[in-house]
Amino acid sequence: MLPEVRGWLRRRTSSAGDWPVRDLLAAKGATTVSVVLPARDERATVGEIVEILRRELDGLLDEVVVIDSRSRDDTARVAARAGARVHAQDDILPHLRPLDGKGEALWKSLAVTRGDVVVFADADIRHFRASLVGGVLGPLLADPTLVYVKGCYDRPLDGAPNGGGRVTELVARPLINLHWPELAGFVQPLAGEYAGRRSALERVPFLTGYGVELGLLIDLLDLAGLDAFAQVDLGSREHAPQSTEALGAMSCQIMLAAWSRLRRQGKIQARHEPSCLLAQFRRGLTGHDVCSRDITIAERPPMLTLPDRLPAGAY
């Protein structure tokens, strides 16, 4: 690890316990805060998450917004009943061709929220705690030089205290250490719980698939530099594990995200365009059947560059 990264790790890493709600309320001042939950078919967890946020962070959060990403269940109804403001992903900026993926929901949320600070959190977390949001919010309220804060945590899986995060360990971390060693101090670079200042988030592009977190880290590093980042240990975080097939598709999208940034930064000379079809195999009655999956990702431009953007909350 680079010496400057070791120094950053010591200086810019804190724990959720360092940010009790009373201190956050005292530090908030005139800063407005939005929490965004991108959700697709998350009726089992999204309502409880919204209720906990509204109850335990009352006075700290100015809005809790759920972006419903084409749910087939009643995620939107459950979230609204719990007290969230809900937007259908495709109804935001409707003059633009709709795109797929988590990054699309996060990017579009910038058009319908108003907070000076935006906190993103996944909507599928089990045993949710308000500190998962308060923790990443704390450094931004306390230190005006920071622009982006990532959460980190243990990832329980099948009884093992830290067996999750397989895509991080097998794909994202090797890529980061190889090509962006300044970011090697992030324990969970793909964490879904993070916060940023709107003034920074609106100045960077958003990848539309599961590469959005890696893309934001790289692009915000270019924009603001490592010392404008911090991370917070949030303890433990649990959600429903993805299948190996799904993790394979996520890994491909993260690789595509890395490819796009390597090319943009002039770190590689592209001699071909990567294929966006992933062939996977399943055992069938007569042998192995091929399942081809489209893992294409796209990119939305910095929100600040949209010439015809409507004011936040106008939809």
PDB file of all heavy atoms in Angstrom, residues 1-11 13 173 176-178 180-188 226 231:
ATOM      1  N   MET A   1       0.849  -1.195   0.000  1.00  0.00           N
ATOM      2  CA  MET A   1       0.000   0.000   0.000  1.00  0.00           C
ATOM      3  C   MET A   1       0.885   1.245   0.000  1.00  0.00           C
ATOM      4  O   MET A   1       1.886   1.307   0.698  1.00  0.00           O
ATOM      5  CB  MET A   1      -0.929  -0.006   1.215  1.00  0.00           C
ATOM      6  CG  MET A   1      -1.923   1.131   1.255  1.00  0.00           C
ATOM      7  SD  MET A   1      -3.039   1.028   2.677  1.00  0.00           S
ATOM      8  CE  MET A   1      -4.070  -0.354   2.178  1.00  0.00           C
ATOM      9  N   LEU A   2       0.488   2.240  -0.777  1.00  0.00           N
ATOM     10  CA  LEU A   2       1.259   3.480  -0.850  1.00  0.00           C
ATOM     11  C   LEU A   2       1.312   4.158   0.523  1.00  0.00           C
ATOM     12  O   LEU A   2       0.323   4.141   1.262  1.00  0.00           O
ATOM     13  CB  LEU A   2       0.619   4.435  -1.863  1.00  0.00           C
ATOM     14  CG  LEU A   2       0.567   3.983  -3.324  1.00  0.00           C
ATOM     15  CD1 LEU A   2      -0.271   4.952  -4.138  1.00  0.00           C
ATOM     16  CD2 LEU A   2       1.972   3.863  -3.898  1.00  0.00           C
ATOM     17  N   PRO A   3       2.446   4.772   0.871  1.00  0.00           N
ATOM     18  CA  PRO A   3       2.544   5.447   2.179  1.00  0.00           C
ATOM     19  C   PRO A   3       1.464   6.502   2.385  1.00  0.00           C
ATOM     20  O   PRO A   3       0.925   6.638   3.485  1.00  0.00           O
ATOM     21  CB  PRO A   3       3.948   6.063   2.145  1.00  0.00           C
ATOM     22  CG  PRO A   3       4.709   5.246   1.169  1.00  0.00           C
ATOM     23  CD  PRO A   3       3.722   4.803   0.130  1.00  0.00           C
ATOM     24  N   GLU A   4       1.142   7.246   1.320  1.00  0.00           N
ATOM     25  CA  GLU A   4       0.115   8.281   1.468  1.00  0.00           C
ATOM     26  C   GLU A   4      -1.264   7.681   1.728  1.00  0.00           C
ATOM     27  O   GLU A   4      -2.118   8.295   2.379  1.00  0.00           O
ATOM     28  CB  GLU A   4       0.067   9.191   0.248  1.00  0.00           C
ATOM     29  CG  GLU A   4      -0.146   8.496  -1.089  1.00  0.00           C
ATOM     30  CD  GLU A   4       1.153   8.148  -1.800  1.00  0.00           C
ATOM     31  OE1 GLU A   4       2.135   7.799  -1.118  1.00  0.00           O
ATOM     32  OE2 GLU A   4       1.168   8.241  -3.040  1.00  0.00           O
ATOM     33  N   VAL A   5      -1.493   6.473   1.217  1.00  0.00           N
ATOM     34  CA  VAL A   5      -2.769   5.802   1.469  1.00  0.00           C
ATOM     35  C   VAL A   5      -2.828   5.300   2.911  1.00  0.00           C
ATOM     36  O   VAL A   5      -3.878   5.377   3.568  1.00  0.00           O
ATOM     37  CB  VAL A   5      -2.985   4.653   0.471  1.00  0.00           C
ATOM     38  CG1 VAL A   5      -4.280   3.896   0.779  1.00  0.00           C
ATOM     39  CG2 VAL A   5      -3.030   5.200  -0.955  1.00  0.00           C
ATOM     40  N   ARG A   6      -1.715   4.796   3.426  1.00  0.00           N
ATOM     41  CA  ARG A   6      -1.680   4.385   4.837  1.00  0.00           C
ATOM     42  C   ARG A   6      -1.971   5.576   5.751  1.00  0.00           C
ATOM     43  O   ARG A   6      -2.701   5.458   6.735  1.00  0.00           O
ATOM     44  CB  ARG A   6      -0.316   3.792   5.174  1.00  0.00           C
ATOM     45  CG  ARG A   6      -0.072   2.418   4.580  1.00  0.00           C
ATOM     46  CD  ARG A   6       1.215   1.798   5.112  1.00  0.00           C
ATOM     47  NE  ARG A   6       1.473   0.516   4.503  1.00  0.00           N
ATOM     48  CZ  ARG A   6       0.941  -0.634   4.899  1.00  0.00           C
ATOM     49  NH1 ARG A   6       0.117  -0.632   5.941  1.00  0.00           N
ATOM     50  NH2 ARG A   6       1.230  -1.763   4.290  1.00  0.00           N
ATOM     51  N   GLY A   7      -1.415   6.727   5.411  1.00  0.00           N
ATOM     52  CA  GLY A   7      -1.683   7.920   6.196  1.00  0.00           C
ATOM     53  C   GLY A   7      -3.133   8.333   6.116  1.00  0.00           C
ATOM     54  O   GLY A   7      -3.750   8.704   7.129  1.00  0.00           O
ATOM     55  N   TRP A   8      -3.701   8.267   4.909  1.00  0.00           N
ATOM     56  CA  TRP A   8      -5.121   8.587   4.737  1.00  0.00           C
ATOM     57  C   TRP A   8      -5.985   7.631   5.545  1.00  0.00           C
ATOM     58  O   TRP A   8      -6.958   8.049   6.196  1.00  0.00           O
ATOM     59  CB  TRP A   8      -5.490   8.494   3.253  1.00  0.00           C
ATOM     60  CG  TRP A   8      -6.965   8.610   2.995  1.00  0.00           C
ATOM     61  CD1 TRP A   8      -7.680   9.751   2.837  1.00  0.00           C
ATOM     62  CD2 TRP A   8      -7.899   7.518   2.892  1.00  0.00           C
ATOM     63  NE1 TRP A   8      -9.002   9.448   2.633  1.00  0.00           N
ATOM     64  CE2 TRP A   8      -9.161   8.097   2.668  1.00  0.00           C
ATOM     65  CE3 TRP A   8      -7.788   6.135   2.963  1.00  0.00           C
ATOM     66  CZ2 TRP A   8     -10.306   7.320   2.519  1.00  0.00           C
ATOM     67  CZ3 TRP A   8      -8.926   5.361   2.819  1.00  0.00           C
ATOM     68  CH2 TRP A   8     -10.168   5.959   2.594  1.00  0.00           C
ATOM     69  N   LEU A   9      -5.627   6.351   5.518  1.00  0.00           N
ATOM     70  CA  LEU A   9      -6.406   5.344   6.224  1.00  0.00           C
ATOM     71  C   LEU A   9      -6.476   5.644   7.716  1.00  0.00           C
ATOM     72  O   LEU A   9      -7.544   5.530   8.346  1.00  0.00           O
ATOM     73  CB  LEU A   9      -5.771   3.974   5.980  1.00  0.00           C
ATOM     74  CG  LEU A   9      -6.554   2.721   6.352  1.00  0.00           C
ATOM     75  CD1 LEU A   9      -7.887   2.676   5.638  1.00  0.00           C
ATOM     76  CD2 LEU A   9      -5.720   1.485   6.019  1.00  0.00           C
ATOM     77  N   ARG A  10      -5.370   6.056   8.295  1.00  0.00           N
ATOM     78  CA  ARG A  10      -5.357   6.401   9.723  1.00  0.00           C
ATOM     79  C   ARG A  10      -6.134   7.685   9.999  1.00  0.00           C
ATOM     80  O   ARG A  10      -6.847   7.796  10.999  1.00  0.00           O
ATOM     81  CB  ARG A  10      -3.910   6.566  10.202  1.00  0.00           C
ATOM     82  CG  ARG A  10      -3.092   5.281  10.250  1.00  0.00           C
ATOM     83  CD  ARG A  10      -1.769   5.506  10.979  1.00  0.00           C
ATOM     84  NE  ARG A  10      -0.955   6.537  10.330  1.00  0.00           N
ATOM     85  CZ  ARG A  10      -0.058   6.285   9.388  1.00  0.00           C
ATOM     86  NH1 ARG A  10       0.146   5.038   8.974  1.00  0.00           N
ATOM     87  NH2 ARG A  10       0.652   7.265   8.867  1.00  0.00           N
ATOM     88  N   ARG A  11      -6.001   8.639   9.109  1.00  0.00           N
ATOM     89  CA  ARG A  11      -6.544   9.979   9.356  1.00  0.00           C
ATOM     90  C   ARG A  11      -8.024  10.090   9.017  1.00  0.00           C
ATOM     91  O   ARG A  11      -8.763  10.849   9.654  1.00  0.00           O
ATOM     92  CB  ARG A  11      -5.730  10.971   8.508  1.00  0.00           C
ATOM     93  CG  ARG A  11      -6.010  12.438   8.773  1.00  0.00           C
ATOM     94  CD  ARG A  11      -5.065  13.313   7.975  1.00  0.00           C
ATOM     95  NE  ARG A  11      -5.221  13.155   6.530  1.00  0.00           N
ATOM     96  CZ  ARG A  11      -4.386  12.488   5.738  1.00  0.00           C
ATOM     97  NH1 ARG A  11      -3.331  11.882   6.251  1.00  0.00           N
ATOM     98  NH2 ARG A  11      -4.606  12.396   4.431  1.00  0.00           N
ATOM     99  N   THR A  13     -10.389   7.455   8.629  1.00  0.00           N
ATOM    100  CA  THR A  13     -11.281   6.349   8.957  1.00  0.00           C
ATOM    101  C   THR A  13     -11.822   6.528  10.373  1.00  0.00           C
ATOM    102  O   THR A  13     -11.059   6.754  11.306  1.00  0.00           O
ATOM    103  CB  THR A  13     -10.558   4.989   8.853  1.00  0.00           C
ATOM    104  OG1 THR A  13     -10.050   4.823   7.525  1.00  0.00           O
ATOM    105  CG2 THR A  13     -11.523   3.846   9.148  1.00  0.00           C
ATOM    106  N   ARG A 173     -11.265  -5.351  -5.782  1.00  0.00           N
ATOM    107  CA  ARG A 173     -10.022  -5.024  -5.086  1.00  0.00           C
ATOM    108  C   ARG A 173      -8.785  -5.267  -5.949  1.00  0.00           C
ATOM    109  O   ARG A 173      -7.884  -4.428  -5.978  1.00  0.00           O
ATOM    110  CB  ARG A 173      -9.929  -5.779  -3.756  1.00  0.00           C
ATOM    111  CG  ARG A 173      -8.867  -5.156  -2.835  1.00  0.00           C
ATOM    112  CD  ARG A 173      -8.771  -5.845  -1.481  1.00  0.00           C
ATOM    113  NE  ARG A 173     -10.027  -6.046  -0.805  1.00  0.00           N
ATOM    114  CZ  ARG A 173     -10.719  -5.083  -0.208  1.00  0.00           C
ATOM    115  NH1 ARG A 173     -10.268  -3.830  -0.221  1.00  0.00           N
ATOM    116  NH2 ARG A 173     -11.851  -5.343   0.402  1.00  0.00           N
ATOM    117  N   ILE A 176      -8.566  -2.355  -8.415  1.00  0.00           N
ATOM    118  CA  ILE A 176      -8.171  -1.109  -7.765  1.00  0.00           C
ATOM    119  C   ILE A 176      -6.680  -1.107  -7.446  1.00  0.00           C
ATOM    120  O   ILE A 176      -5.962  -0.137  -7.721  1.00  0.00           O
ATOM    121  CB  ILE A 176      -9.023  -0.888  -6.491  1.00  0.00           C
ATOM    122  CG1 ILE A 176     -10.441  -0.455  -6.882  1.00  0.00           C
ATOM    123  CG2 ILE A 176      -8.374   0.160  -5.573  1.00  0.00           C
ATOM    124  CD1 ILE A 176     -11.412  -0.422  -5.730  1.00  0.00           C
ATOM    125  N   ASN A 177      -6.195  -2.189  -6.867  1.00  0.00           N
ATOM    126  CA  ASN A 177      -4.778  -2.235  -6.505  1.00  0.00           C
ATOM    127  C   ASN A 177      -3.874  -2.203  -7.728  1.00  0.00           C
ATOM    128  O   ASN A 177      -2.775  -1.642  -7.682  1.00  0.00           O
ATOM    129  CB  ASN A 177      -4.495  -3.478  -5.665  1.00  0.00           C
ATOM    130  CG  ASN A 177      -4.853  -3.285  -4.201  1.00  0.00           C
ATOM    131  OD1 ASN A 177      -4.022  -2.917  -3.392  1.00  0.00           O
ATOM    132  ND2 ASN A 177      -6.119  -3.505  -3.864  1.00  0.00           N
ATOM    133  N   LEU A 178      -4.323  -2.782  -8.832  1.00  0.00           N
ATOM    134  CA  LEU A 178      -3.522  -2.776 -10.050  1.00  0.00           C
ATOM    135  C   LEU A 178      -3.470  -1.405 -10.697  1.00  0.00           C
ATOM    136  O   LEU A 178      -2.413  -0.975 -11.177  1.00  0.00           O
ATOM    137  CB  LEU A 178      -4.086  -3.793 -11.042  1.00  0.00           C
ATOM    138  CG  LEU A 178      -3.842  -5.276 -10.751  1.00  0.00           C
ATOM    139  CD1 LEU A 178      -4.694  -6.137 -11.677  1.00  0.00           C
ATOM    140  CD2 LEU A 178      -2.368  -5.613 -10.914  1.00  0.00           C
ATOM    141  N   TRP A 180      -5.548   1.711  -9.652  1.00  0.00           N
ATOM    142  CA  TRP A 180      -5.827   2.923  -8.880  1.00  0.00           C
ATOM    143  C   TRP A 180      -5.379   2.692  -7.439  1.00  0.00           C
ATOM    144  O   TRP A 180      -6.211   2.653  -6.505  1.00  0.00           O
ATOM    145  CB  TRP A 180      -7.316   3.285  -8.936  1.00  0.00           C
ATOM    146  CG  TRP A 180      -7.768   3.609 -10.325  1.00  0.00           C
ATOM    147  CD1 TRP A 180      -7.611   4.795 -10.987  1.00  0.00           C
ATOM    148  CD2 TRP A 180      -8.443   2.724 -11.233  1.00  0.00           C
ATOM    149  NE1 TRP A 180      -8.145   4.708 -12.254  1.00  0.00           N
ATOM    150  CE2 TRP A 180      -8.655   3.453 -12.439  1.00  0.00           C
ATOM    151  CE3 TRP A 180      -8.877   1.408 -11.149  1.00  0.00           C
ATOM    152  CZ2 TRP A 180      -9.294   2.890 -13.533  1.00  0.00           C
ATOM    153  CZ3 TRP A 180      -9.500   0.835 -12.249  1.00  0.00           C
ATOM    154  CH2 TRP A 180      -9.712   1.578 -13.415  1.00  0.00           C
ATOM    155  N   PRO A 181      -4.100   2.505  -7.195  1.00  0.00           N
ATOM    156  CA  PRO A 181      -3.629   2.178  -5.838  1.00  0.00           C
ATOM    157  C   PRO A 181      -3.940   3.252  -4.803  1.00  0.00           C
ATOM    158  O   PRO A 181      -3.932   2.964  -3.609  1.00  0.00           O
ATOM    159  CB  PRO A 181      -2.127   1.991  -6.026  1.00  0.00           C
ATOM    160  CG  PRO A 181      -1.787   2.719  -7.289  1.00  0.00           C
ATOM    161  CD  PRO A 181      -2.995   2.588  -8.168  1.00  0.00           C
ATOM    162  N   GLU A 182      -4.261   4.470  -5.248  1.00  0.00           N
ATOM    163  CA  GLU A 182      -4.658   5.509  -4.295  1.00  0.00           C
ATOM    164  C   GLU A 182      -5.958   5.152  -3.584  1.00  0.00           C
ATOM    165  O   GLU A 182      -6.255   5.681  -2.510  1.00  0.00           O
ATOM    166  CB  GLU A 182      -4.837   6.862  -5.001  1.00  0.00           C
ATOM    167  CG  GLU A 182      -3.634   7.317  -5.805  1.00  0.00           C
ATOM    168  CD  GLU A 182      -3.753   6.949  -7.269  1.00  0.00           C
ATOM    169  OE1 GLU A 182      -4.266   5.843  -7.575  1.00  0.00           O
ATOM    170  OE2 GLU A 182      -3.353   7.762  -8.122  1.00  0.00           O
ATOM    171  N   LEU A 183      -6.743   4.255  -4.184  1.00  0.00           N
ATOM    172  CA  LEU A 183      -8.031   3.863  -3.612  1.00  0.00           C
ATOM    173  C   LEU A 183      -7.957   2.555  -2.829  1.00  0.00           C
ATOM    174  O   LEU A 183      -8.976   2.045  -2.369  1.00  0.00           O
ATOM    175  CB  LEU A 183      -9.081   3.722  -4.728  1.00  0.00           C
ATOM    176  CG  LEU A 183      -9.394   5.002  -5.516  1.00  0.00           C
ATOM    177  CD1 LEU A 183     -10.305   4.687  -6.691  1.00  0.00           C
ATOM    178  CD2 LEU A 183     -10.017   6.060  -4.613  1.00  0.00           C
ATOM    179  N   ALA A 184      -6.743   2.021  -2.648  1.00  0.00           N
ATOM    180  CA  ALA A 184      -6.592   0.707  -2.033  1.00  0.00           C
ATOM    181  C   ALA A 184      -6.938   0.702  -0.551  1.00  0.00           C
ATOM    182  O   ALA A 184      -7.060  -0.367   0.049  1.00  0.00           O
ATOM    183  CB  ALA A 184      -5.163   0.200  -2.234  1.00  0.00           C
ATOM    184  N   GLY A 185      -7.109   1.855   0.069  1.00  0.00           N
ATOM    185  CA  GLY A 185      -7.448   1.909   1.486  1.00  0.00           C
ATOM    186  C   GLY A 185      -8.919   1.716   1.781  1.00  0.00           C
ATOM    187  O   GLY A 185      -9.309   1.622   2.956  1.00  0.00           O
ATOM    188  N   PHE A 186      -9.755   1.625   0.751  1.00  0.00           N
ATOM    189  CA  PHE A 186     -11.184   1.429   0.985  1.00  0.00           C
ATOM    190  C   PHE A 186     -11.460  -0.038   1.275  1.00  0.00           C
ATOM    191  O   PHE A 186     -11.191  -0.911   0.455  1.00  0.00           O
ATOM    192  CB  PHE A 186     -12.002   1.908  -0.208  1.00  0.00           C
ATOM    193  CG  PHE A 186     -12.155   3.397  -0.261  1.00  0.00           C
ATOM    194  CD1 PHE A 186     -11.312   4.168  -1.039  1.00  0.00           C
ATOM    195  CD2 PHE A 186     -13.116   4.035   0.494  1.00  0.00           C
ATOM    196  CE1 PHE A 186     -11.429   5.547  -1.075  1.00  0.00           C
ATOM    197  CE2 PHE A 186     -13.253   5.414   0.478  1.00  0.00           C
ATOM    198  CZ  PHE A 186     -12.402   6.173  -0.316  1.00  0.00           C
ATOM    199  N   VAL A 187     -12.003  -0.293   2.448  1.00  0.00           N
ATOM    200  CA  VAL A 187     -12.280  -1.666   2.863  1.00  0.00           C
ATOM    201  C   VAL A 187     -13.394  -2.280   2.019  1.00  0.00           C
ATOM    202  O   VAL A 187     -13.331  -3.441   1.621  1.00  0.00           O
ATOM    203  CB  VAL A 187     -12.658  -1.706   4.353  1.00  0.00           C
ATOM    204  CG1 VAL A 187     -12.976  -3.131   4.802  1.00  0.00           C
ATOM    205  CG2 VAL A 187     -11.538  -1.126   5.205  1.00  0.00           C
ATOM    206  N   GLN A 188     -14.414  -1.488   1.729  1.00  0.00           N
ATOM    207  CA  GLN A 188     -15.546  -1.949   0.922  1.00  0.00           C
ATOM    208  C   GLN A 188     -15.787  -0.962  -0.213  1.00  0.00           C
ATOM    209  O   GLN A 188     -16.705  -0.138  -0.163  1.00  0.00           O
ATOM    210  CB  GLN A 188     -16.812  -2.087   1.787  1.00  0.00           C
ATOM    211  CG  GLN A 188     -16.770  -3.165   2.837  1.00  0.00           C
ATOM    212  CD  GLN A 188     -16.865  -4.555   2.245  1.00  0.00           C
ATOM    213  OE1 GLN A 188     -17.097  -4.725   1.050  1.00  0.00           O
ATOM    214  NE2 GLN A 188     -16.678  -5.559   3.074  1.00  0.00           N
ATOM    215  N   LEU A 226      -7.804  12.359  -3.016  1.00  0.00           N
ATOM    216  CA  LEU A 226      -8.039  11.371  -1.966  1.00  0.00           C
ATOM    217  C   LEU A 226      -8.367  11.998  -0.622  1.00  0.00           C
ATOM    218  O   LEU A 226      -9.189  11.470   0.132  1.00  0.00           O
ATOM    219  CB  LEU A 226      -6.806  10.463  -1.831  1.00  0.00           C
ATOM    220  CG  LEU A 226      -6.911   9.346  -0.787  1.00  0.00           C
ATOM    221  CD1 LEU A 226      -8.045   8.392  -1.120  1.00  0.00           C
ATOM    222  CD2 LEU A 226      -5.585   8.594  -0.680  1.00  0.00           C
ATOM    223  N   GLN A 231     -13.868   7.192   5.147  1.00  0.00           N
ATOM    224  CA  GLN A 231     -14.681   5.994   5.279  1.00  0.00           C
ATOM    225  C   GLN A 231     -15.028   5.776   6.747  1.00  0.00           C
ATOM    226  O   GLN A 231     -14.315   6.228   7.646  1.00  0.00           O
ATOM    227  CB  GLN A 231     -14.005   4.765   4.687  1.00  0.00           C
ATOM    228  CG  GLN A 231     -12.801   4.244   5.415  1.00  0.00           C
ATOM    229  CD  GLN A 231     -12.226   2.994   4.742  1.00  0.00           C
ATOM    230  OE1 GLN A 231     -12.917   2.278   4.002  1.00  0.00           O
ATOM    231  NE2 GLN A 231     -10.955   2.724   4.994  1.00  0.00           N
TER     232      GLN A 231
END
